Amino acid sequence: MTRTRFIVLISILVVIIAIFLVNIPSDKKSVQEIGILAANDLRLSKVEGLKSELQKLGYTEGVDLTYHVEIAQNDLDQLSDLGNRLLREKPDVLVAAGAVEAQVLKELTAKNKVQTPVVFMGILSPVDIGLVQDLSRPGGNLTGVNNGHYELTPKRLELLHRLLPKVKRVAVLGDTRVPILEQIQNELNKVAQTFDLSVNLYTVANSGEIQQAFASIDQEGAEAIILLPGFFLETSTEDIVNRATLKKLPVFGVYPLDTEEGCLASFGTSNWDQGAQSAHIVSKILRGYSPEDIPVETPDRVVFSINLKKAQELGLQPSPRVLSLADQVIQP
Amino acid sequence: MRQERSSWWKRIKARVLIFGILMSILPLTVFGLASFNAARFYLQNNIQEQNYERAQFLAGRIEDFVSTMADSLIYVASTNAYALVSVESSTRDVTLGTLLREVPYFESIEVADSDYRVLGQISRREVDFPQEAEKKLNNLQINSKRNFSLSGVFFSANNRPQVYLTVSIQDPQTRKNIGYLQAKTDLKSLVTRFTNLQIGKAGYIYLTDEKGNLIGHTDFSRVLVQENVKNNLAVQRFLTGNPSNHQESEYQNPEGVQVIGTYDRVETLDWGVFIEQPVSEAYIPVRQFAVRVFGIILLGILIVTLISIYFGLKLTRPIEHLEEGVSRVGSTENLLTEIPRESNDEIGNLVTAFNRMLRQLYEKNQTLIEDQELFRTVVNGIGAGMVLLNEDKQIQWWNSIFADWFSTEDLSGVSCDTIMQGEGKDCLFLENGKLITLDVEGERRYIRHMYYGLNPGNSEKAAYLLLLEDVTQQVEMEARAIETEKMVAVGLLASGVAHEINNPLAIVSAHSEDLLDRMQDHDDPPGEQEIQRILKIISGQIERCKKITGRLLHFARQKQGGNDVMDAGVAILQTVDLLAYRAKQEKLTFKNQVDPGLWVVGNENEWQQVLLNILTNAMDASKEGKTIEIHAFKEGHQVKVVVRDYGEGISKENLSRVFNPFFTTKVASQGTGLGLFVSYGMVQRMQGYMSIESEEGKGTTVFIMLPHKGGVER
């Protein structure tokens, strides 16, 4: 062996070992993937909230996490295909933007016999719609945020009453596809009795039914409308508000966004907040916790929003006592 | 020459390499382990310190959080005291609504008067049904220590941890208590915020109240099932009021996982913040450091080892080349081989010295070859056959004369016994100096057989030198001397015999003449009886002559030199008879005393010649009238013959030379000077010994010792 060969050999060995030493994984952190399924663009706000909060929790997009977002553009039939597309990527966590997405992902994971955790970002009564067994111990591969919109419905009626004490007849618009509609109605009736109100529930599942419902509302002389949570109503808020405005009827919505869209008031958690709150659950799962042990959370923040501009437009004088409670006020 | 290579581990190269590797591994390993231990201690302390700081931070945050909530209430209570407790509800509702709005952690707020009667309430999520009459405010633990009270943690219907925070409403002027303001405070956000703080991957944080009840946990489900954590070592220490201890921070959690844990107390609330992290995870940096240290040590060892190998090989290569060179010299036996010098160090000097030694060896070898040639010339020209034999008497070396005598074939390894077969030709070496005969080119040769022990017991080297000396001339000369001596003796005896025969011949002559005369005298012719008497006399005398000549003939008869068993005494008497006439003439008397049965082995003729020589000498030395005593007897295993005369004796000067050939004190006609020389040789051949004692003027005694036939085995 010549001296040159020897030196070359030593150099190669030193370089190999140096590379080995440098590449010793100081913190074995691979990029984790999150697959997100959303039914429409409205729910992208939840996605923004999720990303923002995960960023705050130390997950940098592109470094620690990658997001794969599939949006169905209100075509619910597409959800299954999009869900399958997400599953093929074998993500670390699947995120459902709402109840319909969560149900699709639950079915797909069960069908494919995979235990990919699914986090739902704010849905209505997950136990009642069969997504989890128990709020404290979900038991399956799903957990997430219960947006509490069912539990908040009686409060909405109370707030409407306190805001417009003169209103006595209230029309409630609900979607029959929401499974707990009957329970909601019972809760509403209890509050209505207490405050001496009359409440009529109208179920709508398409534009035609909205039209019919408004005809009935008009006929029965309802003085205000309360919107119940649900995918269809969520996407039809603008239509309902427009119809109600024509009849000078105030609408009490669900999401803070509803107030911006023309509702007199709304009481509920924002999509962004639901996404942000879900980020903590996603983070736990990424750290190794099993979804079956992560309790379903209720919203940390509920926003009471009032549109004084709309009130003025409708010629209404909201009670100042209640105004002090409002988190958001759209000034005229 | 077969080259023997040592086992690899005995080779210098292997030892140098092993030494180099050991010297690189040992110090680096020791240094690495020491550094690692120091660093591990530092890292472990650091991790524990870090976790403790986190716990402190969280405790501070919780305290701040609760204080902030309380301060909000206190501020509202002090600035809106009258409004809050007034009968008019609108202002109160606005105040409470504003407070609820501004502090998002308040779920509901209630106002009561100084008698705890609830005056008003407002809730964030729940429906505020109209006031029940005489509803009283609960969950009050106001004391002097704090200006607010905090209830125990409880869980709302939707599983949110909550506490009641209560402050008193004081009259701004009188400072009297005029009511209470109580807020149901949601801790979920707080708990979520701190429990989401990442403690590694498997670490977790939990929170207990002052009684050790779990009120917050990274895994919130544990809180919901109200897991009992009071058995946890850290919680037990917390409940005893001890601060967290870094030295005893490792323990098993209730699930049996070894964790390092620390805690801190939330001072104003007496809650405990606990941080626990599995040891396996917490010490990952230590393990990573260990891997790095190991890698660095490995790298160091590798580099030092490679350098050791390089220099080891560089150092040992000249030694190996030297070894190869030496082996080459050994195998080719070419002493002119030159081993190239590769370095200027000690090994280079060694190579030079070796080359010099090789040249000297070559020169010495040349000298040796020349000496050997000289030796061979000498050995081959010495006239004697020489053979070197090993222990087993196999021929190892022989000279040309030996080869000429026996064979021209290769004799190497041939047994000496196979070459020298036949009587007297063995290699037993019992009779050193024995004569053997050989037919060389049809000519009979006498060879003297001698051997010398060289290295007895050494199977490698020649054990014996066998020297075969050609003594043919000497033997023949000796034989001629014996014959001459014998002829002289016969001559001397013959004159005696002639005289001795004269008398009977004279008697025969006289009687025969007398008989003839009387027969011619017819007058008195002899009668038949007379004739018979005379003829008997004549016959008797003739018989006497025959005996006399017979004795002489018996002595003079040439006889081959074979050995027989004989009675030494008989020969003595026969010889005395042979000399009887001369003794009578010289008036000497033989006095014989010869024992019977003196059996010896030898040539009777030679033995008789010995006796004739000795007795003749004795008679020559003795004067008239003297006696010569002959005494033969057995003494032990020896036959001893003593011949003593009382003659003139031998001078001391001559006594030492009597056995030399041609030494005589007699006149030329009387002696040849060979008598005793020949006799001595003959006695020796009979395995005997002969000596002479003499005193000048008094006489001489000759002693002959011969082995008795039964005494000495041949």
Side-chain angles (χ1 to χ4, degrees):
Chain A
M1 189 191 296
T2 65
R3 184 172 300 185
T4 319
R5 274 187 195 172
F6 181 77
I7 290 168
V8 168
L9 183 67
I10 284 191
S11 310
I12 289 169
L13 282 170
V14 169
V15 168
I16 287 170
I17 290 179
I19 289 169
F20 163 73
L21 285 176
V22 167
N23 283 342
I24 289 172
S26 56
D27 189 4
K28 205 177 179 180
K29 203 171 185 181
S30 57
V31 178
Q32 291 175 298
E33 187 178 330
I34 296 178
I36 301 172
L37 187 62
N40 54 38
D41 289 339
L42 278 175
R43 294 184 171 180
L44 284 181
S45 179
K46 290 184 179 181
V47 177
E48 295 304 318
L50 174 83
K51 287 183 176 181
S52 170
E53 194 67 11
L54 281 172
Q55 178 78 36
K56 280 186 198 166
L57 289 171
Y59 297 91
T60 306
E61 187 174 356
V63 177
D64 308 296
L65 289 176
T66 56
Y67 298 98
H68 183 178
V69 185
E70 292 289 351
I71 306 161
Q73 304 296 354
N74 286 328
D75 183 358
L76 300 185
D77 297 336
Q78 265 194 31
L79 283 174
S80 204
D81 291 340
L82 298 175
N84 270 325
R85 196 182 294 172
L86 289 175
L87 267 179
R88 279 197 293 274
E89 301 281 327
K90 293 185 177 168
D92 296 284
V93 182
L94 282 168
V95 175
V100 283
E101 299 94 323
Q103 273 168 327
V104 166
L105 290 178
K106 183 180 182 180
E107 283 163 19
L108 288 179
T109 51
K111 189 177 155 192
N112 290 299
K113 292 177 180 168
V114 292
Q115 283 298 312
T116 312
V118 178
V119 175
F120 42 82
M121 297 192 286
I123 61 169
L124 186 70
S125 302
V127 177
D128 296 310
I129 62 174
L131 284 177
V132 296
Q133 293 169 4
D134 182 81
L135 292 175
S136 304
R137 283 199 176 270
N141 62 325
L142 280 86
T143 187
V145 174
N146 170 10
N147 58 23
H149 286 168
Y150 151 66
E151 291 84 351
L152 293 176
T153 305
K155 185 71 181 176
R156 287 192 193 101
L157 184 58
E158 185 212 338
L159 286 172
L160 175 67
H161 167 68
R162 291 189 189 282
L163 195 64
L164 303 170
K166 291 177 184 171
V167 170
K168 292 297 175 185
R169 285 188 297 279
V170 179
V172 177
L173 287 185
D175 186 342
T176 44
R177 288 165 295 192
V178 176
I180 54 168
L181 196 61
E182 201 176 326
Q183 289 166 282
I184 293 175
Q185 196 173 7
N186 291 338
E187 293 292 325
L188 283 173
N189 287 339
K190 206 188 289 176
V191 176
Q193 278 177 1
T194 305
F195 296 108
D196 194 21
L197 303 170
S198 81
V199 173
N200 278 326
L201 177 65
Y202 300 92
T203 55
V204 291
N206 52 52
S207 297
E209 286 181 357
I210 291 176
Q211 199 175 350
Q212 284 175 6
F214 266 91
S216 301
I217 288 167
D218 196 24
Q219 204 172 19
E220 289 176 13
E223 297 159 284
I225 297 172
I226 289 181
L227 295 179
L228 290 183
F231 176 73
F232 174 68
L233 289 172
E234 186 184 311
T235 53
S236 308
T237 307
E238 198 177 347
D239 181 25
I240 293 167
V241 167
N242 289 339
R243 287 173 191 273
T245 306
L246 285 174
K247 297 185 183 298
K248 297 279 181 184
L249 288 176
V251 180
F252 201 108
V254 177
Y255 301 98
L257 190 67
D258 294 347
T259 315
E260 291 171 28
E261 285 184 354
C263 288
L264 175 69
S266 68
F267 184 61
T269 174
S270 73
N271 279 342
W272 200 96
D273 283 344
Q274 289 177 55
Q277 193 172 346
S278 303
H280 292 274
I281 297 171
V282 171
S283 166
K284 275 189 181 178
I285 290 171
L286 292 177
R287 282 157 53 195
Y289 284 86
S290 169
E292 63 182 339
D293 295 329
I294 303 175
V296 174
E297 294 185 7
T298 50
D300 290 337
R301 185 161 176 251
V302 205
V303 177
F304 180 31
S305 180
I306 296 178
N307 190 339
L308 289 181
K309 191 179 171 186
K310 194 73 185 177
Q312 196 175 48
E313 187 187 331
L314 295 173
L316 297 170
Q317 286 292 323
S319 162
R321 292 191 190 191
V322 185
L323 278 178
S324 66
L325 264 175
D327 298 291
Q328 292 174 1
V329 177
I330 297 172
Q331 296 298 334
Chain B
M1 186 184 190
R2 199 165 64 87
Q3 188 181 5
E4 287 181 13
R5 283 186 82 86
S6 326
S7 312
W8 67 268
W9 50 272
K10 284 184 181 169
R11 298 178 69 79
I12 291 177
K13 190 204 290 189
R15 290 179 182 183
V16 167
L17 292 182
I18 290 169
F19 176 77
I21 291 166
L22 282 180
M23 281 300 102
S24 60
I25 290 172
L26 281 177
L28 281 170
T29 307
V30 170
F31 173 73
L33 286 178
S35 314
F36 171 70
N37 272 335
R40 187 183 63 174
F41 181 73
Y42 170 76
L43 269 174
Q44 286 177 350
N45 255 348
N46 205 22
I47 289 163
Q48 287 160 2
E49 193 64 44
Q50 199 180 2
N51 281 348
Y52 181 65
E53 280 172 10
R54 283 170 174 164
Q56 275 186 315
F57 169 74
L58 288 173
R61 287 289 300 275
I62 291 166
E63 200 173 346
D64 289 349
F65 178 82
V66 174
S67 298
T68 307
M69 299 299 108
D71 288 348
S72 306
L73 282 182
I74 290 164
Y75 178 75
V76 171
S78 58
T79 52
N80 300 280
Y82 296 133
L84 286 172
V85 295
S86 80
V87 181
E88 201 275 318
S89 66
S90 62
T91 314
R92 182 171 56 233
D93 286 350
V94 170
T95 307
L96 293 182
T98 308
L99 182 59
L100 194 65
R101 189 189 72 217
E102 289 303 319
V103 185
Y105 305 106
F106 290 160
E107 279 296 307
S108 66
I109 303 168
E110 283 180 299
V111 180
D113 62 15
S114 56
D115 294 327
Y116 308 116
R117 279 194 301 271
V118 176
L119 300 173
Q121 73 168 55
I122 190 156
S123 304
R124 188 182 297 278
R125 301 180 202 223
E126 290 160 14
V127 176
D128 289 319
F129 291 104
Q131 291 300 318
E132 296 169 24
E134 295 298 314
K135 184 189 173 190
K136 292 260 186 175
L137 202 62
N138 290 320
N139 305 303
L140 288 168
Q141 286 101 28
I142 300 259
N143 56 32
S144 56
K145 190 177 163 189
R146 295 190 300 227
N147 52 1
F148 64 92
S149 84
L150 201 68
S151 71
V153 178
F154 61 94
F155 290 90
S156 69
N158 48 19
N159 288 322
R160 298 179 75 90
Q162 293 175 342
V163 288
Y164 285 108
L165 188 64
T166 313
V167 297
S168 64
I169 305 168
Q170 290 176 337
D171 188 312
Q173 292 168 14
T174 63
R175 308 292 163 88
K176 279 186 179 173
N177 185 30
I178 55 171
Y180 297 97
L181 186 61
Q182 186 178 67
K184 187 157 74 174
T185 310
D186 191 89
L187 297 177
K188 169 69 170 48
S189 305
L190 169 74
V191 170
T192 305
R193 194 179 304 153
F194 81 73
T195 54
N196 270 332
L197 186 72
Q198 212 155 340
I199 308 295
K201 239 177 142 51
Y204 51 88
I205 300 168
Y206 59 94
L207 185 69
T208 66
D209 62 14
E210 71 281 2
K211 290 173 185 162
N213 296 317
L214 190 68
I215 56 173
H217 197 291
T218 305
D219 177 8
F220 197 68
S221 55
R222 291 166 187 259
V223 181
L224 295 176
V225 298
Q226 281 297 294
E227 186 178 291
N228 182 8
V229 293
K230 289 176 188 170
N231 293 330
N232 194 312
L233 193 71
V235 177
Q236 285 173 355
R237 282 189 199 141
F238 163 73
L239 290 175
T240 56
N242 291 327
S244 184
N245 184 353
H246 282 193
Q247 270 68 48
E248 295 169 23
S249 61
E250 275 189 39
Y251 53 88
Q252 273 196 349
N253 71 5
E255 282 100 57
V257 179
Q258 192 72 15
V259 295
I260 57 163
T262 187
Y263 60 88
D264 195 33
R265 190 177 296 272
V266 184
E267 286 302 332
T268 51
L269 307 175
D270 271 350
W271 292 355
V273 176
F274 298 83
I275 294 181
E276 286 177 358
Q277 194 175 11
V279 168
S280 57
E281 185 197 72
Y283 292 157
I284 281 175
V286 178
R287 282 202 297 278
Q288 285 170 346
F289 178 72
V291 171
R292 274 178 198 279
V293 167
F294 176 72
I296 289 165
I297 290 174
L298 204 68
L299 181 66
I301 287 173
L302 186 72
I303 291 171
V304 178
T305 302
L306 286 173
I307 291 169
S308 298
I309 290 171
Y310 176 71
F311 283 105
L313 292 176
K314 195 177 177 185
L315 191 71
T316 53
R317 195 176 299 123
I319 298 175
E320 287 188 325
H321 287 175
L322 178 61
E323 188 198 10
E324 283 167 13
V326 172
S327 300
R328 200 162 56 242
V329 171
S331 58
T332 60
E333 295 184 6
N334 180 8
L335 297 176
L336 289 173
T337 306
E338 181 92 5
I339 298 171
R341 178 174 176 151
E342 294 177 358
S343 57
N344 291 321
D345 53 12
E346 289 87 337
I347 294 170
N349 294 341
L350 183 63
V351 170
T352 307
F354 183 78
N355 284 334
R356 194 185 309 126
M357 193 182 75
L358 270 185
R359 283 194 297 279
Q360 287 172 350
L361 202 59
Y362 174 76
E363 286 162 13
K364 292 266 166 52
N365 196 38
Q366 287 302 110
T367 312
L368 205 60
I369 289 168
E370 287 166 12
D371 289 350
Q372 202 175 10
E373 195 56 39
L374 182 65
F375 168 75
R376 189 178 290 118
T377 310
V378 170
V379 162
N380 289 336
I382 203 165
M386 292 173 97
V387 186
L388 287 174
L389 304 175
N390 65 9
E391 278 280 285
D392 300 325
K393 290 189 274 178
Q394 287 168 333
I395 296 170
Q396 288 189 319
W397 173 89
W398 63 97
N399 68 353
S400 60
I401 294 171
F402 185 87
D404 289 344
W405 288 347
F406 291 97
S407 168
T408 52
E409 291 171 19
D410 185 7
L411 293 167
S412 180
V414 177
S415 171
C416 173
D417 287 332
T418 27
I419 299 279
M420 301 179 70
Q421 285 175 334
E423 193 185 353
K425 294 182 186 175
D426 52 36
C427 283
L428 289 176
F429 310 121
L430 282 175
E431 296 178 56
N432 208 357
K434 188 177 176 183
L435 279 183
I436 58 171
T437 55
L438 279 178
D439 285 328
V440 179
E441 295 173 354
E443 195 181 332
R444 166 157 288 214
R445 307 298 287 264
Y446 293 91
I447 307 293
R448 190 188 303 282
H449 168 289
M450 309 276 279
Y451 77 93
Y452 304 94
L454 298 175
N455 296 293
N458 188 340
S459 57
E460 292 287 320
K461 292 184 175 177
Y464 302 102
L465 168 66
L466 183 61
L467 192 67
L468 300 175
E469 189 184 356
D470 188 349
V471 291
T472 308
Q473 279 187 333
Q474 190 184 336
V475 167
E476 284 176 353
M477 213 161 82
E478 207 172 300
R480 275 197 292 275
I482 292 166
E483 190 59 31
T484 306
E485 178 61 20
K486 193 172 180 179
M487 286 306 113
V488 169
V490 169
L492 286 170
L493 286 172
S495 63
V497 166
H499 285 294
E500 202 177 350
I501 285 174
N502 265 347
N503 285 340
L505 284 179
I507 293 166
V508 169
S509 177
H511 279 89
S512 59
E513 281 173 10
D514 178 51
L515 185 60
L516 280 172
D517 287 344
R518 286 175 67 185
M519 286 178 75
Q520 284 171 1
D521 184 2
H522 301 289
D523 297 336
D524 191 12
E528 194 174 337
Q529 284 185 328
E530 183 66 17
I531 290 168
Q532 279 181 350
R533 188 190 63 83
I534 290 167
L535 284 174
K536 276 183 183 172
I537 290 167
I538 289 169
S539 175
Q541 289 306 313
I542 287 169
E543 190 61 31
R544 185 180 161 198
C545 285
K546 196 179 170 184
K547 272 187 186 172
I548 291 164
T549 54
R551 280 202 299 270
L552 184 61
L553 280 172
H554 178 72
F555 174 70
R557 188 173 61 231
Q558 284 283 352
K559 205 172 182 180
Q560 288 299 326
N563 286 333
D564 295 314
V565 178
M566 58 177 178
D567 189 341
V570 173
I572 292 169
L573 296 176
Q574 282 177 350
T575 309
V576 168
D577 280 351
L578 205 59
L579 293 169
Y581 177 76
R582 187 184 158 194
K584 191 178 166 185
Q585 290 286 314
E586 293 175 13
K587 296 185 175 63
L588 296 172
T589 311
F590 285 114
K591 190 179 176 184
N592 303 327
Q593 190 184 346
V594 178
D595 291 349
L598 302 175
W599 296 105
V600 295
V601 176
N603 186 301
E604 190 185 355
N605 195 249
E606 285 184 1
W607 172 234
Q608 210 171 358
Q609 195 173 343
V610 170
L611 292 168
L612 188 70
N613 277 331
I614 292 165
L615 291 174
T616 306
N617 283 344
M619 289 166 75
D620 288 345
S622 301
K623 292 179 179 171
E624 281 187 3
K626 293 287 181 181
T627 301
I628 294 169
E629 294 171 2
I630 302 164
H631 188 195
F633 56 97
K634 189 170 169 235
E635 190 178 78
H637 296 295
Q638 303 279 329
V639 171
K640 193 168 183 179
V641 179
V642 181
V643 178
R644 180 176 290 122
D645 67 64
Y646 298 95
E648 57 197 33
I650 306 166
S651 68
K652 275 188 179 174
E653 186 190 351
N654 290 337
L655 190 61
S656 59
R657 299 192 290 170
V658 288
F659 292 116
N660 291 351
F662 307 110
F663 174 78
T664 182
T665 54
K666 296 174 186 173
V667 291
S669 60
Q670 279 189 330
T672 59
L674 289 169
L676 280 177
F677 166 70
V678 169
S679 300
Y680 190 85
M682 287 169 174
V683 170
Q684 268 194 329
R685 276 199 286 279
M686 290 171 76
Q687 307 292 323
Y689 176 73
M690 180 175 164
S691 64
I692 297 177
E693 289 177 3
S694 183
E695 199 175 342
E696 206 166 2
K698 288 191 175 174
T700 302
T701 309
V702 177
F703 299 93
I704 297 172
M705 305 291 283
L706 294 171
H708 186 258
K709 207 255 176 183
V712 174
E713 293 296 331
R714 284 192 63 195

